[in-house]
Amino acid sequence: MDPTKTEGTEYFHQVVDCQWGCPAHTDVPEYIRLIAQGRFTDAYMLNRESNVFPGILGRTCDRPCEPACRRTRVEDKPVAICRLKRVAADNRGDISDRLPTAPKQKNGKRIALVGAGCASLTVANDLMPLGYECVIYDALDEVGGLMRTNIPSFRLPASVMDEEVGYILDMGVDLRLSSPIESMAELLKEGYNAIFVGSGAPKGKDIDMPGRDESDRIHIGIQWLESVAFGHTEKIGKKVLIIGVGNTAMDCCRTSLRLGARDVKVMARKTRDFFKASDWELEDAEEEQVEIVVKHSPKEFVIEDGKLVGMTFEKMEYDLDEKGRIADTRVTGEEAFFPCDDVILALGQDTAFPWVERGIGINFDKWSVPVLDEVTFESTLPGVFFGGDAAFGPKNIIWAVEHGHQAAISIDKYCNERPLDERLPRGVNLQSAKMGIHEWSYSNDYDPAGRRIMPHVDLKERFKKLNIEVELGFSVEQVVTEVERCLNCDLQTVFFADLCIECDACIDICPVDCLTITPNADEDTLKKSLKAPILEPSQLLYVSAALKQTSRVMVKDENLCVHCGLCAERCPTAAWDMQKSSLVIPYAIDEAREDAAKCQAERKAG
Amino acid sequence: MTSITKPQIIHEGMARNALGLTIRDYEGRMSTLCAGCGHDSVTSAIVQSFFELSVPPHSVAKLSGIGCSSKTPAYFLSAAHGFNAVHGRMPSIATGANAANRELSLIGISGDGDSLSIGLGQFAHAVRRNLNMLYIIENNGVYGLTKGQFSASADVGTKAKKGEVNEQQPIDPVQMAMALGGTFVARSFSGDKEQLIPLIKAGIRHNGFALIDVLSPCVTFNDHEDSTKSYAYTRQFFHPAMHADFVPPAEEIKTAYDEGEVMTIELHDGSRILLRKISKDYSLNNRGAAIDYIRSHHRKGEIVTGLLYIDESEPDMHAINQTTKTPLNDLPFDKLCPGGEALETLQQRFR
Ligand SMILES: Cc1cc2nc3c(=O)[nH]c(=O)nc-3n(C[C@H](O)[C@H](O)[C@H](O)COP(=O)(O)OP(=O)(O)OC[C@H]3O[C@@H](n4cnc5c(N)ncnc54)[C@H](O)[C@@H]3O)c2cc1C
Ligand SMILES: Cc1ncc(C[n+]2csc(CCOP(=O)(O)OP(=O)(O)O)c2C)c(N)n1
Ligand code: SF4
Ligand code: SF4
Ligand code: SF4
Ligand code: SF4
Ligand SMILES: [Mg+2]
């Protein structure tokens, strides 16, 4: 194989599994180290740079970083990355002088943002410091979008949201609540320099089944949660059935319990492996005695004397193939009746743009999804951008934030008439972590401790009020242990082939056997000659240049490396070095600086 | 963070041997040798060999003298027995251990200083006694522990780090063992585990004294340009004469060999050594010819390696002395110590 190129590529970025998995590329290992040093405010600010809402996300993030976390390769559970984010947020000091500010002198450009959810807020966060005037419209009379209306307050306290949303609004955003945009055509006429659509995916899916229209006790999940959030709904019947088993279902069942329900069942068509809800949401619901009934497909609502009394379900059966996928689905013919007082439909959401006229240049595909550029988020009408759930359908907060960052870059380029696709690449900086003969600038000792368990409010106490936050946050002892579980994947093993004397010291010491010196060969042969078998073919393989003494090559399977630094420590010639990688992610402000510099250079050149 | 110990991580891809143990169960404490020392690689080859042979660690006794090499038993098989003897005196301790408990698998680790300078006499007698043990000399041409003075294995003309030249003839433990009637004589290199591991396994299983002289560079005092025991020199002048593969009892021979290409030697426990000639003109069964071959190559600066002599038929120390088959600690007390009357009878026989 050819020597692996690591310089000027994203090789080392990919090694940091959590950061690679995070849509906004949050620098997880660095903030965990800052927490370990007690530098909570710094940890918070580092988070804020990429994910804007550390306090909110530290409680609610979908955490794609955790399933990706390297720790799962040496034990069951990943580092509690998300809940450590909350530690930074909860313990931060005064940050008022470290927040971005808007210049007094505006740049004269006005941007309209439709929807006051996290996507629009991120765009405003990135554009306000550049001198833009941002006008955010929302149909509702509160700011925050689904974070406010749908994520229950026992998971996300309003105060946490108010604070973080406030940081953005306080830069001087022109927030116009109770101002639904009813026509894009009209909005276009108002002379904004650009428009960002962050209107979310507001349409909860319904079901067409006998009895559906005969009762007012059949609710649509996201609408019902919204009416609870605004205090319009304060109670529910004793027996509740939730249809669907995604994250919305989990919020619906737990909210029901807080409004008086005593027997809540979540009805699932398939088996657990196919649930959309995250494991931790399922665990939290089950802790509260919600029963999850599998292999039941809804058949009809049973109405007696004009009153909903229950539902019938068809029992299902599934055959799995050897990979665990569903090969065959069967209706067994057996039916089951479940009595209930209320039904909540938690079947997912769709985007809806009744207010965007067709034929004004914004094209939609056959599923009524706007046609967008995946990098710039620009629609087919120049100057109109989409992001968050409105862009590619419902996702989550962290994706909406990343869309916001990217759309902000595009909007700034658009307003300055620079090509939208000429964007700065992400970069990786490396710096040696060597401090002395056996001294590294990070805690490289492997801590075998298991993941800390989040303490919860007592099972009786938590139901007394709707907004009692269930998760208490980690204790000091838990933080101290949990931070040490992080393997510091950003401390990269960097190899200098010309220094290696092939003494095997690194190979012998590596606790996970991820290094091999072997004659070079084609990829398949090379992969078969490794010291430990390849378990994760998708992970990177590093192949060095030919070594001096024997022309063999050093091969590293990145999958297992625990970044302990022992290879570098036992190497007599410093052919291995531990180097801290930092990802350089360009935001609107960086792109703006770059563009301004280019502009100047072009002007000079005439 | 300062120096750490090797973490005990059992990862998914980790193999288990017939005893259900992983290779971690065969490791020892963290090495305190210089980073890059050849001795650490030998340690790792020993770990690998015992693991692959599924030897219960507690059935092994590790013995050594003094030197960096002699420190290494601390770095493998933590669960084994061990004895760190005074300088050059490991063979007599090994003799005692073997006399007392013939069921222990003995592994002795020594250095060129420990065996060829101060301990030469002890070494020679262990060979001629055909003591049933694996005896590894980690040979680096210097006294590593005492900061790099020439040892008795230093070649004529080789330069020390500070420049002085050795003018005394080297002692080659391989030629010596051949001359003294050694029954298993091998040489290898710490940087070639493919050659070394089968040799260690065969040496463990050989019935009698198995010597492996392992060239094991001292990175700190003898890895410079004019040294004949450096990594680079050894790699350049490495001359494998006989390759040995080790096949445990009841295991199929997987590699396909041409007719007449290999010679199979069956060991006492049923395992086999498959010997393959790498050098056409090497003759394995003739001590004299073997010594000539090694000498003539040494004159050219070459280091002849591989399993250079083996004789599985010679009696070991216990057989020669017709001792009891039972380890002494398993003998009932009245047999082990038959009392004053028995002593009297015995003494009578000599009067
Ligand atoms: C029940 C539930 C629980 C969830 N839990 C989580 C979670 O724990 N973690 C997570 O990461 N994600 C969660 N999500 C998903 C997450 O809330 C969304 O992905 C995210 O809020 C999308 O942000 P957004 O800015 O794109 O849109 P939204 O947050 O949906 O904001 C859109 C805003 O636009 C307004 N709007 C719409 N149309 C117009 C118009 N024409 N004029 C003016 N205003 C308009 C709406 O009123 C709304 O305020 C959950 C979703 C649901 C439904
Ligand atoms: C009786 C006695 N004499 C001298 C010494 C000093 N001494 C310690 S180690 C050593 C030489 C070790 O050389 P070698 O066996 O080659 O081991 P290496 O360190 O090279 O592996 C000497 C002379 C001693 N410890 N005891
Ligand atoms: S171990 Fe730490 S750095 Fe590595 S993926 Fe997990 S959280 Fe990220
Ligand atoms: S840092 Fe080096 S020794 Fe440690 S696991 Fe990674 S490759 Fe192995
Ligand atoms: S420890 Fe250093 S010199 Fe030795 S093999 Fe590894 S990289 Fe090469
Ligand atoms: S001094 Fe030489 S023999 Fe001793 S540990 Fe260091 S490198 Fe090894
Ligand atoms: Mg020595």
Side-chain angles (χ1 to χ4, degrees):
Chain A
M1 285 178 78
D2 290 334
T4 310
K5 282 203 185 66
T6 55
E7 268 165 57
T9 68
E10 294 217 347
Y11 184 90
F12 290 124
H13 178 16
Q14 287 180 61
V15 172
V16 195
D17 295 290
C18 50
Q19 200 178 7
W20 182 251
C22 172
H25 304 295
T26 302
D27 191 349
V28 176
E30 181 64 14
Y31 85 65
I32 292 183
R33 275 191 300 272
L34 290 169
I35 292 172
Q37 294 163 21
R39 293 167 61 188
F40 303 112
T41 311
D42 292 335
Y44 182 86
M45 291 313 294
L46 182 71
N47 263 290
R48 194 182 184 282
E49 207 174 285
S50 50
N51 58 50
V52 187
F53 306 105
I56 294 171
L57 287 163
R59 292 167 165 84
T60 62
C61 189
D62 246 1
R63 22 175 160 152
C65 52
E66 290 195 15
C69 174
R70 179 174 300 275
R71 186 85 189 182
T72 56
R73 319 220 182 107
V74 283
E75 61 150 304
D76 292 351
K77 295 258 162 93
V79 175
I81 301 172
C82 180
R83 292 325 187 240
L84 285 173
K85 198 188 306 298
R86 175 176 167 184
V87 169
D90 286 359
N91 296 289
R92 71 184 187 271
D94 180 19
I95 57 164
S96 44
D97 59 346
R98 297 176 66 169
L99 288 167
T101 51
K104 285 220 175 63
Q105 181 69 43
K106 299 292 163 196
N107 67 3
K109 309 258 162 63
R110 297 176 72 237
I111 314 296
L113 303 110
V114 184
C118 41
S120 294
L121 287 165
T122 303
V123 176
N125 179 69
D126 287 7
L127 291 183
M128 289 300 291
L130 295 177
Y132 287 88
E133 202 180 308
C134 295
V135 183
I136 302 185
Y137 296 93
D138 203 293
L140 302 173
D141 61 1
E142 288 213 55
V143 61
L146 285 183
M147 298 191 292
R148 173 88 56 186
T149 60
N150 263 245
I151 300 185
S153 48
F154 57 83
R155 285 208 288 129
L156 175 60
S159 57
V160 172
M161 205 172 357
D162 291 341
E163 239 181 322
E164 293 192 326
V165 170
Y167 296 150
I168 298 167
L169 299 180
D170 292 348
M171 280 190 272
V173 172
D174 183 351
L175 177 64
R176 302 189 189 172
L177 296 175
S178 308
S179 310
I181 299 295
E182 267 140 12
S183 158
M184 179 60 107
E186 291 300 315
L187 186 64
L188 283 165
K189 282 186 205 148
E190 288 187 32
Y192 285 104
N193 295 80
I195 294 173
F196 176 78
V197 180
S199 57
K203 210 173 81 189
K205 284 192 185 148
D206 206 338
I207 196 170
D208 188 16
M209 248 173 32
R212 170 66 185 93
D213 300 325
E214 290 165 48
S215 168
D216 58 0
R217 302 292 288 267
I218 303 166
H219 319 280
I220 291 186
I222 65 165
Q223 286 166 11
W224 181 76
L225 285 169
E226 180 177 320
S227 96
V228 174
F230 287 135
H232 305 318
T233 295
E234 287 175 329
K235 54 183 195 312
I236 196 160
K238 289 266 174 291
K239 281 183 194 302
V240 180
L241 294 180
I242 315 283
I243 310 300
V245 66
N247 288 342
T248 304
M250 296 302 109
D251 283 340
C252 290
C253 66
R254 295 179 69 193
T255 302
S256 302
L257 287 171
R258 285 155 175 81
L259 297 189
R262 286 292 160 265
D263 174 1
V264 182
K265 289 188 171 63
V266 173
M267 307 299 295
R269 277 172 59 93
K270 296 182 185 163
T271 52
R272 198 166 183 114
D273 287 342
F274 301 94
F275 290 177
K276 285 210 185 105
S278 333
D279 288 341
W280 54 87
E281 302 237 30
L282 289 164
E283 279 163 23
D284 288 348
E286 284 177 328
E287 176 184 313
E288 296 182 356
Q289 308 304 315
V290 170
E291 189 189 342
I292 299 175
V293 182
V294 298
K295 298 197 274 190
H296 280 68
S297 177
K299 182 158 182 266
E300 64 181 318
F301 298 97
V302 182
I303 314 282
E304 277 173 15
D305 304 330
K307 187 169 163 274
L308 176 73
V309 294
M311 280 183 78
T312 46
F313 294 83
E314 288 177 317
K315 290 199 181 172
M316 308 292 292
E317 240 170 45
Y318 300 93
D319 291 336
L320 302 182
D321 65 13
E322 72 284 355
K323 284 199 175 133
R325 292 172 306 200
I326 292 179
D328 193 26
T329 306
R330 274 186 311 280
V331 181
T332 60
E334 221 181 307
E335 286 185 5
F337 173 77
F338 284 80
C340 70
D341 303 312
D342 287 84
V343 172
I344 304 176
L345 303 173
L347 297 162
Q349 306 146 249
D350 282 323
T351 50
F353 302 98
W355 53 280
V356 180
E357 294 85 350
R358 309 296 134 126
I360 56 172
I362 301 175
N363 295 347
F364 290 84
D365 66 13
K366 60 180 174 210
W367 298 282
S368 298
V369 175
V371 177
L372 304 175
D373 183 302
E374 283 181 25
V375 175
T376 66
F377 292 86
E378 192 177 33
S379 70
T380 49
L381 183 63
V384 177
F385 301 84
F386 285 68
D389 285 0
F392 305 114
K395 279 192 173 151
N396 53 38
I397 301 172
I398 193 67
W399 268 115
V401 168
E402 176 57 13
H403 290 179
H405 283 314
Q406 295 308 324
I409 293 175
S410 304
I411 292 170
D412 183 50
K413 286 190 185 288
Y414 178 81
C415 291
N416 288 296
E417 295 171 25
R418 311 256 356 154
L420 302 195
D421 53 0
E422 261 180 35
R423 299 162 99 92
L424 287 171
R426 290 196 295 247
V428 177
N429 285 337
L430 289 171
Q431 197 186 15
S432 178
K434 201 171 177 73
M435 306 288 283
I437 292 183
H438 292 308
E439 242 183 296
W440 303 99
S441 64
Y442 70 108
S443 161
N444 58 334
D445 203 356
Y446 177 82
D447 189 331
R451 183 181 168 113
R452 302 294 94 180
I453 296 165
M454 177 56 70
H456 285 175
V457 173
D458 175 88
L459 264 174
K460 278 211 184 94
E461 198 57 32
R462 73 173 73 159
F463 295 118
K464 288 191 176 154
K465 255 168 54 194
L466 181 60
N467 63 356
I468 294 176
E469 188 175 14
V470 172
E471 294 189 355
L472 290 165
F474 281 143
S475 70
V476 175
E477 291 75 22
Q478 285 182 308
V479 174
V480 168
T481 309
E482 193 63 37
V483 290
E484 286 301 327
R485 295 183 69 240
C486 172
L487 299 170
N488 302 286
C489 301
D490 58 339
L491 267 296
Q492 308 281 356
T493 55
V494 180
F495 187 66
F496 301 91
D498 51 331
L499 293 179
C500 175
I501 57 166
E502 302 173 51
C503 71
D504 279 0
C506 54
I507 316 274
D508 296 339
I509 196 68
C510 177
V512 286
D513 310 304
C514 66
L515 304 177
T516 309
I517 296 183
T518 180
N520 203 351
D522 58 77
E523 188 168 341
D524 285 345
T525 320
L526 210 57
K527 282 186 168 168
K528 282 194 197 103
S529 51
L530 300 185
K531 207 172 163 202
I534 295 224
L535 295 174
E536 205 36 79
S538 65
Q539 287 277 319
L540 296 166
L541 196 68
Y542 168 83
V543 181
S544 77
L547 302 178
K548 272 198 312 211
Q549 295 194 7
T550 63
S551 301
R552 293 178 300 168
V553 286
M554 175 74 76
V555 186
K556 180 181 180 207
D557 177 5
E558 293 287 1
N559 182 43
L560 281 175
C561 173
V562 292
H563 299 262
C564 63
L566 282 172
C567 49
E569 199 162 301
R570 297 303 295 168
C571 178
T573 63
W576 282 112
D577 190 21
M578 299 308 290
Q579 301 197 351
K580 159 132 180 59
S581 65
S582 341
L583 186 66
V584 185
I585 309 170
Y587 295 104
I589 197 155
D590 308 301
E591 297 269 6
R593 276 195 204 118
E594 176 78 10
D595 282 344
K598 268 193 204 154
C599 226
Q600 221 166 16
E602 281 165 12
R603 230 177 288 139
K604 259 196 202 143
Chain B
M1 189 78 195
T2 47
S3 192
I4 58 162
T5 53
K6 179 166 175 168
Q8 291 288 312
I9 299 172
I10 310 291
H11 58 83
E12 238 180 283
M14 203 161 232
R16 289 187 182 271
N17 66 12
L19 301 176
L21 302 178
T22 73
I23 196 150
R24 297 283 164 270
D25 300 310
Y26 288 82
E27 290 176 347
R29 305 223 340 245
M30 189 75 175
S31 169
T32 55
L33 301 185
C34 306
C37 176
H39 301 351
D40 280 337
S41 287
V42 182
T43 297
S44 141
I46 292 169
V47 166
Q48 184 83 27
S49 304
F50 277 104
F51 164 72
E52 285 176 9
L53 287 177
S54 297
V55 174
H58 63 269
S59 72
V60 178
K62 312 173 289 185
L63 304 136
S64 66
I66 299 291
C68 297
S69 33
S70 293
K71 282 170 72 179
T72 64
Y75 314 140
F76 61 85
L77 267 68
S78 280
H81 307 272
F83 197 102
N84 196 197
V86 285
H87 204 12
R89 270 61 180 171
M90 176 261 277
S92 43
I93 303 294
T95 307
N98 179 246
N101 187 349
R102 59 191 294 166
E103 281 180 2
L104 281 177
S105 177
L106 299 190
I107 174 163
I109 309 288
S110 183
D112 40 330
D114 194 60
S115 282
L116 307 178
S117 299
I118 194 170
L120 190 65
Q122 294 247 332
F123 168 67
H125 285 280
V127 179
R128 70 177 269 279
R129 224 175 263 144
N130 204 19
L131 184 61
N132 187 12
M133 74 180 297
L134 168 63
Y135 194 104
I136 291 181
I137 298 180
E138 296 178 350
N139 194 340
N140 53 15
V142 287
Y143 301 157
L145 191 72
T146 53
K147 299 208 179 315
Q149 302 83 351
F150 287 127
S151 77
S153 74
D155 289 307
V156 174
T158 190
K159 270 196 195 147
K161 209 176 177 182
K162 288 262 168 73
E164 92 246 36
V165 180
N166 175 51
E167 282 164 12
Q168 298 181 63
Q169 287 298 325
I171 297 177
D172 177 2
V174 163
Q175 293 178 49
M176 229 184 115
M178 291 225 187
L180 289 167
T183 53
F184 180 113
V185 186
R187 182 163 15 235
S188 189
F189 170 39
S190 67
D192 186 354
K193 290 206 182 71
E194 262 171 64
Q195 184 191 53
L196 181 56
I197 290 173
L199 288 176
I200 294 177
K201 288 188 196 166
I204 293 169
R205 293 302 190 214
H206 169 66
N207 184 51
F209 191 83
L211 168 74
I212 311 177
D213 174 40
V214 187
L215 290 154
S216 174
C218 168
V219 271
T220 303
F221 298 112
N222 207 9
D223 195 38
H224 43 271
E225 222 166 81
D226 294 313
S227 156
T228 58
K229 296 264 190 304
S230 66
Y231 280 108
Y233 185 96
T234 311
R235 283 210 167 93
Q236 192 179 347
F237 294 101
F238 192 67
H239 178 92
M242 295 296 295
H243 183 81
D245 278 324
F246 179 83
V247 185
E251 192 171 291
E252 245 180 89
I253 295 172
K254 289 190 199 96
T255 328
Y257 295 100
D258 289 340
E259 179 77 23
E261 195 197 359
V262 288
M263 200 171 114
T264 308
I265 292 166
E266 187 151 334
L267 303 185
H268 276 60
D269 70 338
S271 36
R272 281 145 298 164
I273 301 174
L274 306 181
L275 274 170
R276 186 161 45 89
K277 266 193 189 180
I278 295 177
S279 166
K280 268 206 309 296
D281 24 320
Y282 188 79
S283 86
L284 181 79
N285 304 324
N286 184 329
R287 291 177 192 267
I291 292 176
D292 284 347
Y293 185 92
I294 295 167
R295 272 177 173 280
S296 63
H297 281 272
H298 184 248
R299 245 176 267 125
K300 290 188 271 177
E302 285 175 354
I303 308 150
V304 177
T305 65
L307 181 49
L308 300 171
Y309 187 82
I310 180 163
D311 182 351
E312 197 57 12
S313 65
E314 289 290 322
D316 80 330
M317 181 183 80
H318 281 283
I320 295 167
N321 292 302
Q322 296 170 22
T323 56
T324 167
K325 296 250 177 323
T326 318
L328 301 191
N329 61 352
D330 284 349
L331 281 181
F333 185 74
D334 55 346
K335 276 222 156 150
L336 187 64
C337 186
E341 259 175 56
L343 179 65
E344 186 63 29
T345 326
L346 185 73
Q347 282 172 335
Q348 282 303 332
R349 278 174 41 200
F350 295 104
R351 292 215 164 102

